[in-house]
Amino acid sequence: MKKITKLAITAVAATTLLAGCGGGQQADDKGAASGGSSGGKVKLTVWHNWTGQDAKAIAMRKILDDFKAQHPEVDLEVEGLPTDGLKTRLRTVAAADEMPDLFVMWPDAMTKEFVNGNLLQPIDDFLNSKPDWKNNFIPNALDGFTVNGKIYSVPMNLAPSSFIYYNQAIFDKYGVKAPKTWDELKAAIDTFNKNNVIPIALGNKANWVAQSTIFSTIGDRVTGTDWFLKAARARWSEIYRSRIY
């Protein structure tokens, strides 16, 4: 696996990024080159999705800039990509075994995929050396980044999703009350379907919206993680025929 120096692991803490490492002999050679020699600069590549002008993106870019200023011994190559573009590019470079040293990624399916491909380095030793930090995460916060008992990353924020808008005129037209329970929501959906009214719609120009709002919030919670992971691997025609969705 790609050799990452102690300084690189420090960068993980400073920027709340993931430590990435490539698998195979090619990664070993690349790691020796990027790690630098004694007395030389350490070269690290960082990929992130903090490209917007929101408060989090601005703050994270400042952390990277501050790290560069405070650590001239590190040659930090930073590249920002929109979320969907970052996900696509990570999977592309993973297939070619050309992963960046540090990068933003996502829990559960992507983490397991990269771990199974021998593309990630566990960070347990580093976390255990910072018990106050590690123990300050809310319960189960690290579960999505844990595979076979080893932790491969830490979350930097939570993103709750909610449905908050509904068309009162349509609800009144078909005698439907705003649902307050899961059963009431299913009954309302059934009524709208029978009357050829689309029950739920959302803007999904960026693919993460449906993944976050529909699949994570509803699918994973209601059907359970085992079903969710099976569905991610199955064809939708098979899911429909099995009537599990």
Side-chain angles (χ1 to χ4, degrees), residues 37 48 57 67 81 93 229:
S37 59
H48 65 79
F67 183 87
L81 295 165
V93 297
L229 293 175

Side-chain angles (χ1 to χ4, degrees), residues 56-68:
K56 181 180 75 173
I58 293 172
M60 295 309 296
R61 292 198 300 268
K62 185 178 186 305
I63 289 175
L64 290 171
D65 290 339
D66 289 347
F67 183 87
K68 285 183 180 181

Side-chain angles (χ1 to χ4, degrees), residues 49-59 61:
N49 64 336
W50 304 312
T51 57
Q53 293 303 312
D54 55 286
K56 181 180 75 173
I58 293 172
R61 292 198 300 268

Side-chain angles (χ1 to χ4, degrees), residues 83-84 87 106 159 161 204-214:
T83 297
D84 289 339
K87 289 181 177 181
W106 286 263
S161 299
N204 194 41
K205 183 176 182 180
N207 294 334
W208 71 265
V209 181
Q211 181 276 326
S212 176
T213 305
I214 302 296

Side-chain angles (χ1 to χ4, degrees), residues 4 24 49 87 100 165 172 197 235:
I4 298 185
N49 64 336
K87 289 181 177 181
Y165 299 109
D172 291 342
V197 175
R235 297 182 180 220

Side-chain angles (χ1 to χ4, degrees), residues 22 26 32 43-44 47 54 69 86 101 120 128 149 157 167 202 232 234:
Q26 180 183 358
K43 182 178 179 180
L44 295 172
W47 292 5
D54 55 286
L86 177 60
D101 297 301
L120 296 180
N128 291 334
N157 65 283
N167 190 321
L202 74 160

Side-chain angles (χ1 to χ4, degrees), residues 112-211:
K112 291 181 175 68
E113 177 185 338
F114 285 178
V115 170
N116 291 337
N118 198 30
L119 297 168
L120 296 180
Q121 174 174 289
I123 59 171
D124 298 83
D125 290 344
F126 178 73
L127 277 177
N128 291 334
S129 73
K130 308 286 184 183
D132 290 342
W133 183 44
K134 178 181 179 181
N135 297 332
N136 201 38
F137 287 101
I138 63 175
N140 307 115
L142 301 175
D143 289 359
F145 297 108
T146 302
V147 181
N148 297 326
K150 294 182 179 181
I151 301 171
Y152 290 87
S153 180
V154 294
M156 62 171 294
N157 65 283
L158 296 176
S161 299
S162 304
F163 296 115
I164 58 175
Y165 299 109
Y166 66 95
N167 190 321
Q168 186 67 60
I170 294 178
F171 274 67
D172 291 342
K173 180 177 179 179
Y174 297 104
V176 177
K177 294 182 178 179
K180 297 181 179 180
T181 66
W182 180 248
D183 288 338
E184 289 178 358
L185 176 62
K186 291 196 295 183
I189 289 173
D190 184 57
T191 298
F192 292 135
N193 281 335
K194 289 178 179 177
N195 288 280
N196 296 318
V197 175
I198 297 174
I200 299 174
L202 74 160
N204 194 41
K205 183 176 182 180
N207 294 334
W208 71 265
V209 181
Q211 181 276 326

